[in-house]
Amino acid sequence: MTTSSTRRPRVATAWLAGCSGCHMSFLDLDEALFDLAERADVVFGPLTDAKVFPTDVDLTLVEGAVTNTDNLELAQAIRANTRVVVSFGDCAVTGNITALRNALGDPSELLQRVYVEHPDLTGVVPTEVVPGLLPKVLPLHEVIGVDVYLPGCPPTADRIKTALFALLDAIEAGEDIASVAAARAPGDLRFGN
Amino acid sequence: MSASPVPPTPPPGPRSARPNVAVTLDGEEVLAFPGETVLALARRLGVPIPTLCQLDGVSVYGGCRLCVVEVEGEHRLPLACATEVSADMEVRSTSAELRDHRRRIVALLFAEGSHVCAACVASGACELQDLATETGVDHVPYELTFPSHEVDASHPFFVLDRDRCVLCTRCVRVCDEIEGAHVWDIAQRGSDARLIAGMDQPWGEVASCTSCGKCVAACPTGALYHQGTASGERRPDPGLIAFLADARAGVWEPRDNGAVSQPRDAAGPHEQGTTP
Amino acid sequence: MGKLIDLDAMRDAELAARSRRTHRALVCSSTGCLSAGAAGVRAALVAEIEAADRADTLQVVPTGCPGLCSRGPLVQVEPRTGPATLYAEVDPDGARSIVRDHLLGDRTGDQATTEVAVVPADLPFFAHQTKVVLANAGRIDPDRLEDYVAAGGYRALYDTLTTMTPEQALTAVERSGLRGRGGAGYPTGRKWRLLAEAPGDHKVVVANGDEGDPGAFMDRTIMDSDPHRVLEGLVIAAYATGAERGYIYVRAEYPLAIERLERAIRAAKRSRLLGKGVLGTDLSFDVQVRVGAGAFVCGEETALMASIEGRRGLPQLRPPYPTERGLWGEPTMINNVETLANIPAILGNGPEWFAAMGTAESPGTKVFALAGSLMTTGLIEVPMGISLRTIVEDMAGGIAGGRRFKAAQTGGPSGGCIPERFLDTPVDYEHLRALGSMMGSGGLVVIDDTVNMPEFARFYMAFCRDESCGKCVPCRVGTVQLHALLDRICNGQGRRRDLQHLESLCRTVQVTSLCGLGQSAPNPVVSTLEHFRDEYEALLVEEPVPSAVVTGDAS
């Protein structure tokens, strides 16, 4: 997977079903954020104003699991417009906390209990504006192809930095992304915190 | 489970003999003690071989299959934990294929249980979490099964969370072979296999349990823990088991307990400082 | 202690009694025909004969299995002299007409009765067979020691005990080239020698009758058709190896085999064919039947021993091998039932006679259970080295329903699929293994062109998943995940990466599982991928969309 070396790499982040902790950890890059800004354009994510996922993105870090139709559509848009998709953090990689609902089975029972049986609410399951739930929370790679996995809850800023700049190097040099993942040190990945 | 055909043997060491068996380990000629296992040899020399069900001080089980190694001339992959060295044996502790197998086995364990490190008492001191890092599991390419076994919190001091159990049977063997209580065993088979206390009773109702806590000390994951332990607080002590086994075999040596401390002033009993 | 048997006297008395009959009606009373109504057929025969007051000259004999299972209930009418007639698909009415027209009437042979189907004597199903272990199956009453003795039974044991040293008996088995019929094909003589040379005073021999492959019923038939043959093989094994105790481990799903073995053991003890001083010699050997509790994995040697000891049927690490440290720590040897059933014939006729059958590497015969989309299914015994094509096309009459042959599955869930282009392969251990399949215990399931291979592989994987004992991770979890991947592919949700994971996981489960169950569980997948990969590829999709949204704004 290569990109044109004539322009700056375009980087995006995305926030699916997760707690945003991975993005907090991303902000902990601190001064390295200046290095990122120097090398790449951040074109989408909770940290930008863009509402629609742009085209021609080189690298997208996707935080969070896929739990509803909004997540699914965004994930598909990301895959269609991104060269290197990174499953960013444990929710994206395994489902993690977000997926704990899977052990409870079909979520319609849960919705019934919360919205219909609860005396203080309107007695109906909301269907407007809110996205539909998927029967099961899925890790990102279950709905789109993923190129690189960066586990951690959250991944530490150091690990994010290592992965991010190694990937940017590879993208700029037109190198194979799989070899970047293979070359990482064991300490660069860890589930949990 | 009680009559295991491979009895625990005291680890061969400097007391019993001199290392005089010439073995090639990863291309290097080394000397092993007679009767030493490949795993013991590798550990003595600082060569890492991942393990999970293996526990010093109790019998060999051979269930996790992580310590598979390559031995020249053998068409199968022997287990380092169960294979004794022999003269001129050529062992490879790692290879691209072994790494692949180990990574897949660890991924299978993640797929089978509910291993949410972020919400687990054992995070930070979990052998499964460490194995994922060690073997390079960065995601689980298999179907996550999201089990939901009941948590057994009926014991006054301890908790069993079966969703985190990897069925290594360390607790079963420790309770049977060291404590002699045989509280634990496995019921059912295949993917229905699960850890049970007594006659499949709530743990707290099992009269034979002495509350010694050795099973909790030996558990590699967050399946067994002290009541009241919060996320990331569990501190297991698997080394205790070898210490007790050695002490009973009459090879008592003071323990370096520096690295081991309970997370809090536990209300329940635990083994530190007790005599076997 | 029972009365010492006189084999010659017993045989002579039995043959003399038989010579007083004009006809014998042999009714298959093996599991297959019994489930098809053989008990009613037998009752009808007996009633009709008694009504005619001819019970003194016409005898009805319940027997074991003649093999043509898909056409049961089977009744074979044997005149005192002359050729026998085999009737198929007999019901009680048919039984009565056989008595009236054939036994009481003067019609014989093919014209005996027009109401019951007669199986031609030259049917290819029988013509290609060489019966050694099944020699008595369908010929004798398995519940009568006298019948077995009249057929020459226990003669080999007697001769072995009285004229050979244990070492000579062992050497004969070694020279015969007999290999284990349970699947792996380990040389039986080598196994016997390991036990004979193991130190210990309380050695044990075990007959493994835990046959569990779907579609396989070779061992069941041997046990319920000719139980004394297994016992005789076991006693000879004990003599040659110095064992003092024997067990026959039978799965609980074979109640008839268990009942007949128990009865055979009691009869053998009464006649001092078992117990202290076998046949008046110094040999002391006792046999017990042990019944399994419904676990496939207990056919694996170490799990079988755990089960006999009353523990959970979990495989154990080897070494130590059973001959070093087996039941209750004593040296133990485990032979498949069919292996042991060959022993009396080898000792009776000599190892050269045996080695002359079959191929050089795989001498002797092999029993196969034919199942699946064949015109004729049932049990056959053929010389090793016969081609699959002969079995499928000639003996079984080809594929039923006008369909085409697609593949033959040998070795059950541990085996592989053999496609049409290898139909001329000789059936023996080496050739089948070279094709990615295995001999296995002898199950042969033939499938036609309506069968989808990924679904076929999924069926076997579900079997292995359900039968995994759960001890080792690759088998316990690997079979679950292999099944899930196959499920996903069969359901049209599989992506290319799922196929890759399927292949890589097959490899890991094969080489890292603890016992043969896990090591061979991926074989049906691997072999169908090798020969029918296009069927997997055709099911793959780009990226499936997760199914049904539960609720909310699905726009």
Side-chain angles (χ1 to χ4, degrees):
Chain A
M1 203 169 281
T2 58
T3 181
S4 138
S5 54
T6 55
R7 61 159 176 76
R8 285 154 59 79
R10 288 157 60 79
V11 174
T13 68
W15 179 17
L16 307 183
C19 71
S20 174
C22 297
H23 274 86
M24 295 297 140
S25 196
F26 183 84
L27 289 178
D28 283 343
L29 286 177
D30 295 342
E31 73 278 11
L33 287 170
F34 292 106
D35 300 335
L36 176 63
E38 218 162 80
R39 290 183 61 172
D41 293 329
V42 178
V43 295
F44 184 83
L47 312 175
T48 74
D49 280 336
K51 298 291 180 252
V52 177
F53 195 82
T55 57
D56 197 25
V57 178
D58 295 300
L59 177 68
T60 303
L61 304 185
V62 185
E63 173 189 346
V66 180
T67 188
N68 61 35
T69 49
D70 272 7
N71 299 153
L72 180 61
E73 282 162 25
L74 181 52
Q76 288 164 341
I78 290 166
R79 183 68 274 179
N81 294 289
T82 306
R83 287 183 185 81
V84 179
V85 173
V86 181
S87 191
F88 177 37
D90 280 354
C91 288
V93 173
T94 70
N96 200 31
I97 306 281
T98 315
L100 285 176
R101 81 148 150 102
N102 288 351
L104 301 175
D106 185 346
S108 54
E109 262 178 57
L110 203 63
L111 291 170
Q112 186 76 11
R113 185 74 179 272
V114 171
Y115 287 100
V116 180
E117 291 167 25
H118 195 285
D120 295 346
L121 294 173
T122 54
V124 288
V125 177
T127 56
E128 280 172 34
V129 186
V130 292
L133 287 182
L134 302 180
K136 254 173 109 173
V137 179
L138 299 168
L140 186 65
H141 64 266
E142 287 292 338
V143 300
I144 61 169
V146 166
D147 303 299
V148 179
Y149 298 86
L150 183 53
C153 186
T156 60
D158 273 348
R159 275 184 256 150
I160 299 171
K161 188 168 77 181
T162 305
L164 186 61
F165 289 107
L167 288 168
L168 282 174
D169 289 346
I171 287 168
E172 283 175 340
E175 280 169 13
D176 179 30
I177 295 303
S179 63
V180 179
R184 86 192 133 187
D188 290 343
L189 63 95
R190 184 169 182 81
F191 290 113
N193 43 38
Chain B
M1 198 64 63
S2 57
S4 177
V6 185
T9 44
R15 280 177 226 84
S16 56
R18 303 183 84 60
N20 60 1
V21 184
V23 176
T24 308
L25 179 60
D26 296 330
E28 256 183 70
E29 283 240 357
V30 296
L31 285 178
F33 290 103
E36 195 170 27
T37 63
V38 170
L39 181 65
L41 169 70
R43 285 190 178 157
R44 199 160 51 75
L45 301 174
V47 174
I49 295 177
T51 59
L52 182 60
C53 66
Q54 190 276 342
L55 180 65
D56 283 346
V58 293
S59 61
V60 171
Y61 185 60
C64 77
R65 318 302 290 175
L66 283 167
C67 70
V68 284
V69 292
E70 292 170 358
V71 171
E72 193 62 40
E74 291 239 4
H75 74 288
R76 294 212 183 283
L77 301 177
L79 295 182
C81 70
T83 307
E84 289 185 5
V85 294
S86 58
D88 302 326
M89 189 184 240
E90 285 182 43
V91 183
R92 279 178 300 280
S93 71
T94 189
S95 71
E97 198 188 350
L98 288 175
R99 279 192 294 273
D100 283 346
H101 293 319
R102 290 166 179 163
R103 201 178 59 244
R104 287 180 205 132
I105 291 170
V106 173
L108 286 175
L109 285 170
F110 272 88
E112 180 186 43
S114 179
H115 299 293
V116 183
C117 299
C120 181
V121 291
S123 187
C126 172
E127 294 184 38
L128 184 63
Q129 189 182 26
D130 290 345
L131 279 168
T133 298
E134 202 179 317
T135 59
V137 172
D138 60 3
H139 74 296
V140 180
Y142 312 120
E143 188 173 283
L144 296 156
T145 39
F146 302 107
S148 55
H149 295 104
E150 256 177 45
V151 173
D152 184 346
S154 62
H155 193 283
F157 307 128
F158 312 121
V159 182
L160 162 63
D161 183 343
R162 291 189 176 89
D163 287 349
R164 297 172 182 155
C165 174
V166 291
L167 297 167
C168 68
T169 74
R170 281 190 189 180
C171 55
V172 178
R173 288 173 284 154
V174 163
C175 190
D176 178 28
E177 297 167 20
I178 305 291
E179 182 63 5
H182 203 144
V183 169
W184 298 114
D185 214 322
I186 307 289
Q188 306 299 329
R189 72 173 181 227
S191 51
D192 294 329
R194 62 194 186 92
L195 184 65
I196 57 164
M199 302 302 283
D200 201 1
Q201 300 155 277
W203 187 2
E205 291 174 16
V206 177
S208 59
C209 176
T210 61
S211 301
C212 74
K214 285 196 271 287
C215 54
V216 178
C219 180
T221 70
L224 293 169
Y225 56 95
H226 286 83
Q227 293 269 9
T229 310
S231 179
E233 281 189 351
R234 183 182 124 89
R235 289 294 172 268
D237 186 13
L240 170 72
I241 309 306
F243 169 73
L244 295 176
D246 284 355
R248 284 182 189 180
V251 285
W252 179 283
E253 267 183 22
R255 268 189 103 201
D256 173 17
N257 262 3
V260 175
S261 63
Q262 286 295 322
R264 69 206 157 80
D265 199 7
H270 58 84
E271 281 279 348
Q272 251 120 58
T274 59
T275 47
Chain C
M1 191 181 287
K3 186 173 174 299
L4 187 61
I5 189 173
D6 180 337
L7 293 173
D8 291 335
M10 184 180 273
R11 185 197 59 208
D12 292 346
E14 180 64 21
L15 292 178
R18 214 174 272 181
S19 69
R20 289 192 288 275
R21 320 279 191 184
T22 61
H23 292 86
R24 302 199 314 148
L26 308 171
V27 185
C28 172
S29 302
S30 189
T31 306
C33 282
L34 280 177
S35 64
V41 170
R42 184 177 153 208
L45 286 169
V46 170
E48 196 71 11
I49 289 170
E50 280 177 358
D53 199 19
R54 290 288 300 279
D56 54 338
T57 56
L58 301 176
Q59 187 187 14
V60 179
V61 183
T63 69
C65 174
L68 199 61
C69 302
S70 59
R71 301 204 57 198
L74 300 169
V75 175
Q76 190 167 206
V77 174
E78 220 180 46
R80 190 160 38 201
T81 54
T85 307
L86 178 61
Y87 293 99
E89 289 140 24
V90 184
D91 59 10
D93 281 343
R96 283 184 278 272
S97 79
I98 290 172
V99 175
R100 280 194 309 272
D101 297 346
H102 190 163
L103 300 183
L104 302 174
D106 44 14
R107 288 197 271 180
T108 54
D110 289 353
Q111 307 85 40
T113 160
T114 50
E115 289 172 43
V116 187
V118 172
V119 178
D122 58 352
L123 194 73
F125 183 82
F126 293 110
H128 290 282
Q129 298 201 42
T130 303
K131 295 207 173 187
V132 176
V133 304
L134 294 177
N136 292 340
R139 310 278 317 135
I140 67 166
D141 180 347
D143 281 333
R144 292 186 72 240
L145 173 61
E146 294 81 355
D147 266 27
Y148 183 63
V149 171
Y154 288 114
R155 173 59 60 185
L157 173 66
Y158 180 83
D159 289 347
T160 302
L161 296 191
T162 53
T163 67
M164 296 171 97
T165 62
E167 173 60 29
Q168 285 169 327
L170 206 166
T171 309
V173 173
E174 283 177 331
R175 279 177 36 218
S176 74
L178 175 66
R179 296 170 67 174
R181 297 296 194 243
Y186 190 81
T188 305
R190 199 181 300 164
K191 218 176 197 182
W192 285 29
R193 184 158 299 282
L194 283 172
L195 184 68
E197 289 176 355
D201 296 329
H202 307 288
K203 297 176 189 175
V204 188
V205 288
V206 179
N208 183 351
D210 193 55
E211 175 176 66
D213 291 359
F217 50 98
M218 299 75 56
D219 296 347
R220 183 190 75 198
T221 305
I222 293 167
M223 291 185 288
D224 73 20
S225 296
D226 202 5
H228 281 286
R229 182 181 293 271
V230 181
L231 282 183
E232 187 176 358
L234 206 50
V235 183
I236 294 172
Y239 178 69
T241 59
E244 67 169 23
R245 266 181 308 163
Y247 293 92
I248 305 177
Y249 187 85
V250 190
R251 60 192 308 217
E253 294 86 341
Y254 287 175
L256 191 63
I258 293 164
E259 186 191 313
R260 290 182 179 166
L261 283 167
E262 298 269 20
R263 192 170 292 124
I265 289 171
R266 284 196 299 273
K269 279 187 178 159
R270 277 196 300 273
S271 299
R272 287 177 60 186
L273 292 157
L274 284 175
K276 272 199 171 38
V278 173
L279 286 170
T281 67
D282 293 338
L283 178 65
S284 287
F285 180 65
D286 260 317
V287 175
Q288 289 180 23
V289 172
R290 286 294 167 102
V291 179
F296 179 68
V297 75
C298 286
E300 194 277 342
E301 291 191 340
T302 58
L304 182 150
M305 293 194 299
S307 178
I308 288 181
E309 287 181 7
R311 296 185 286 123
R312 280 167 60 79
L314 300 183
Q316 308 289 342
L317 298 175
R318 293 182 299 184
Y321 288 92
T323 45
E324 298 161 340
R325 192 186 159 83
L327 282 165
W328 294 283
E330 303 296 341
T332 301
M333 176 183 77
I334 297 137
N335 280 164
N336 169 262
V337 160
E338 187 184 334
T339 311
L340 287 167
N342 272 296
I343 296 297
I346 290 172
L347 272 296
N349 301 318
E352 293 76 18
W353 165 85
F354 185 83
M357 291 186 291
T359 66
E361 292 295 305
S362 306
T365 60
K366 179 76 193 84
V367 181
F368 285 99
L370 303 182
S373 322
L374 292 166
M375 289 294 284
T376 309
T377 57
L379 203 70
I380 56 168
E381 182 172 1
V382 288
M384 292 271 194
I386 193 171
S387 79
L388 269 174
R389 190 182 298 281
T390 307
I391 295 176
V392 170
E393 294 182 356
D394 296 349
M395 302 183 71
I399 306 299
R403 309 298 316 186
R404 273 181 63 81
F405 175 92
K406 185 163 188 179
Q409 165 89 4
T410 65
S414 313
C417 277
I418 298 169
E420 187 164 13
R421 66 179 180 281
F422 295 118
L423 259 184
D424 291 311
T425 302
V427 175
D428 61 31
Y429 295 99
E430 277 68 29
H431 280 95
L432 291 183
R433 198 168 294 158
L435 289 182
S437 186
M438 65 188 286
M439 179 78 83
S441 54
L444 182 61
V445 180
V446 172
I447 50 183
D448 66 29
D449 56 359
T450 59
V451 176
N452 169 287
M453 297 315 266
E455 285 178 13
F456 187 71
R458 179 175 61 172
F459 166 82
Y460 279 108
M461 192 53 69
F463 179 86
C464 291
R465 175 199 62 187
D466 295 345
E467 294 295 341
S468 168
C469 78
K471 178 170 177 171
C472 78
V473 180
C475 179
R476 180 182 78 231
V477 198
T479 54
V480 169
Q481 292 297 337
L482 288 172
H483 184 267
L485 286 163
L486 288 165
D487 214 31
R488 180 178 282 200
I489 291 169
C490 290
N491 293 338
Q493 304 273 306
R495 299 148 300 193
R496 182 146 303 276
R497 60 180 183 273
D498 293 316
L499 187 59
Q500 288 161 356
H501 291 313
L502 181 73
E503 292 194 90
S504 62
L505 188 54
C506 276
R507 171 83 187 141
T508 292
V509 174
Q510 280 178 324
V511 303
T512 65
S513 287
L514 195 163
C515 82
L517 196 165
Q519 288 160 9
S520 63
N523 289 359
V525 184
V526 172
S527 78
T528 51
L529 269 170
E530 187 183 339
H531 300 305
F532 303 96
R533 194 182 185 88
D534 51 329
E535 294 189 26
Y536 286 85
E537 300 266 352
L539 292 167
L540 298 184
V541 293
E542 269 302 309
E543 199 69 60
V545 175
S547 59
V549 170
V550 170
T551 185
D553 179 8
S555 61

